[in-house]
Amino acid sequence: MTQPVRRDRGQLSGWAPLRELEELQARMDQLMQSTFPFPTRPLSEIGEDPWAPLADVEDTEDAYVMELELPGAKKDDVTVEVTDGELDIHGEVKDKERKGVLRRQTRRIGRFSYRTTLPRNADTDKITADLAHGILTVRVPKVASAMPRRIEISD
């Protein structure tokens, strides 16, 4: 048996995917508010929180070497600090001036932050940083006395 078709303002009523998505989002918001007592903000209100750059951390024999991807970053816009055994790298990648219309943008711009706890054997007084070709390389030497050494067993 077929169902009669309702007409609203001259249009066929039926499946309205956008309306259903809005209803689903409203239900999810209600669920989140009932589950978590603290106030939540919609994504549109969150603003621009710092993003974390992609990073490689290598443990070599004499140092820890971190390489962070920061394409377009300038040396003066990046800060590397050490406080209480934590390495904090933060700054901003600024958007370049464009002459044409930007059709697509997938590279990240804006404020960034990368933080990590350093191991006990890190020599924080001798940390070096170098920014070249969009890669920030931070070298954290290991304390010489903390490096393992082989002990010979006597007869």
Side-chain angles (χ1 to χ4, degrees):
M1 172 187 269
T2 60
Q3 297 291 327
V5 176
R6 283 185 14 199
R7 296 189 186 269
D8 294 331
R9 295 185 205 137
Q11 295 180 350
L12 292 176
S13 69
W15 186 49
L18 293 178
R19 186 187 68 220
E20 289 184 18
L21 284 174
E22 289 172 354
E23 290 173 2
L24 177 63
Q25 182 177 3
R27 284 190 219 143
M28 291 299 293
D29 288 343
Q30 290 173 349
L31 176 66
M32 292 297 285
Q33 289 173 1
S34 66
T35 305
F36 300 106
F38 54 86
T40 58
R41 296 182 293 167
L43 290 176
S44 59
E45 294 179 12
I46 290 176
E48 186 180 334
D49 287 334
W51 51 273
L54 299 175
D56 291 337
V57 180
E58 183 179 0
D59 183 356
T60 66
E61 188 174 317
D62 62 341
Y64 301 99
V65 180
M66 287 164 249
E67 295 178 334
L68 285 77
E69 288 186 11
L70 297 172
K74 305 276 189 263
K75 180 175 130 178
D76 296 335
D77 296 331
V78 178
T79 303
V80 179
E81 299 174 330
V82 177
T83 307
D84 296 329
E86 275 195 353
L87 180 67
D88 183 22
I89 302 168
H90 58 274
E92 184 175 7
V93 175
K94 296 179 180 170
D95 198 8
K96 69 178 196 174
E97 182 139 348
R98 301 182 188 282
K99 296 177 184 172
V101 176
L102 182 63
R103 300 285 183 191
R104 184 177 194 188
Q105 182 172 18
T106 57
R107 291 189 307 166
R108 290 202 146 180
I109 58 169
R111 296 181 305 130
F112 67 87
S113 178
Y114 179 85
R115 183 177 294 217
T116 187
T117 303
L118 296 173
R120 290 184 188 173
N121 65 343
D123 190 352
T124 57
D125 294 329
K126 296 181 182 172
I127 295 175
T128 60
D130 177 52
L131 180 63
H133 307 291
I135 303 293
L136 175 68
T137 304
V138 179
R139 188 172 191 284
V140 182
K142 294 179 181 177
V143 178
S145 63
M147 288 197 288
R149 62 185 180 97
R150 185 173 181 155
I151 309 294
E152 292 296 323
I153 301 172
S154 59
D155 292 326

